[in-house]
Amino acid sequence: MIDASSFLRRALLADTVFSGIAAIGFTFGAGAFATLFNLPETLLRETGMFLIAYTALVGWLASRTAVPKALVLLVVIGNAAWTVGSIALLFSGAVSPNLVGELMIVAQAIATGVFAELQYVGLRRSGNVVAA
């Protein structure tokens, strides 16, 4: 456990808000977004359902003054992997989004990469190890 810096907690909170909005939109509006982005409805709905659990985890971390360092590092690595995976999805040929869909994928990849970087900086600014 580490003493979470306020910078880390704010970065986690921002990720919570962004991911929570995406979770609700993709879970309950998958059909509309599938049409708008020309992406598979199942992909969007399952992404939204994953983000519900992710949002709960990151929100829980953001609400704590002492957090498990390994868990925060997992979030950072997960966000970095999500960024790379999103861009790889565009080049894979597995989906054929329209221009709006491509822009959405790139924008969320950039945002997720920014969250990874902010959370990593926040992790480095965090304080001493605390007893659990």
Side-chain angles (χ1 to χ4, degrees):
M1 300 286 278
I2 58 167
D3 184 22
S5 68
S6 60
F7 189 93
L8 174 59
R9 292 177 69 203
R10 283 188 294 241
L12 291 167
L13 181 60
D15 191 0
T16 300
V17 171
F18 179 83
S19 298
I21 291 169
I24 292 167
F26 288 158
T27 300
F28 300 108
F33 283 120
T35 302
L36 178 64
F37 300 139
N38 196 41
L39 288 168
E41 184 175 341
T42 302
L43 173 67
L44 296 174
R45 182 167 289 111
E46 289 176 2
T47 298
M49 291 174 14
F50 167 79
L51 287 172
I52 290 170
Y54 176 80
T55 298
L57 170 66
V58 177
W60 179 80
L61 288 170
S63 72
R64 304 289 177 235
T65 56
V67 295
K69 183 176 182 179
L71 200 50
V72 175
L73 193 55
L74 181 65
V75 168
V76 171
I77 292 167
N79 277 337
W82 187 285
T83 298
V84 172
S86 296
I87 300 305
L89 179 65
L90 284 177
F91 291 106
S92 72
V95 295
S96 300
N98 57 24
L99 179 61
V100 176
E102 289 176 357
L103 291 173
M104 184 278 301
I105 291 170
V106 169
Q108 63 83 33
I110 291 169
T112 305
V114 168
F115 287 135
E117 179 65 24
L118 292 173
Q119 291 160 352
Y120 180 73
V121 169
L123 189 57
R124 296 204 33 142
R125 289 185 181 182
S126 292
N128 302 324
V129 174
V130 295

